[in-house]
Amino acid sequence: MFAPATGASPEGIVPGVSPAIYSEADFQRIADLIHAASGIVLSERKQMLAYSRLAPLVRRSGLASFGAFLDTLADDPAAMTEVITALTTNHTYFHREPHH
């Protein structure tokens, strides 16, 4: 049986989304993947963020779950690039002047 993350609803880690679609194990795979690819550490608090950014890619793939989608990434470098792009924020104000 699925054991929800701390603070997660009993239905799953994203309210209204079945653990069969997006589970804590899926999130851990995503966190491991993004850490290996970019060094970014996704804490448990980012489970909803990962879901919301990757759900459009999963839907577009036509696959029934995040797990099935993640299984395809090793053989699809373009999809892997899309996942990394979706999970990273490509905008920063670091060392910028306010008028920019």
Side-chain angles (χ1 to χ4, degrees):
M1 180 81 193
F2 174 77
T6 305
S9 70
E11 298 84 33
I13 60 176
V14 175
V17 176
S18 166
I21 303 296
Y22 179 61
S23 69
E24 191 166 352
D26 295 329
F27 172 74
Q28 190 57 56
R29 287 177 68 188
I30 293 164
D32 292 345
L33 180 146
I34 196 68
H35 185 262
S38 69
I40 293 172
V41 175
L42 292 179
S43 71
E44 263 189 11
R45 297 180 317 186
K46 301 295 183 180
Q47 292 170 334
M48 179 68 110
L49 174 116
Y51 173 83
S52 66
R53 293 205 179 168
L54 295 183
L57 301 178
V58 175
R59 284 186 203 105
R60 191 177 74 213
S61 75
L63 298 168
S65 69
F66 276 70
F69 176 73
L70 294 171
D71 289 343
T72 68
L73 295 180
D75 299 325
D76 190 347
M80 178 68 111
T81 299
E82 285 185 304
V83 166
I84 293 166
T85 299
L87 289 172
T88 56
T89 301
N90 298 311
H91 182 81
T92 180
Y93 289 102
F94 189 70
H95 288 301
R96 297 233 176 122
E97 297 174 26
H99 68 277
H100 290 169

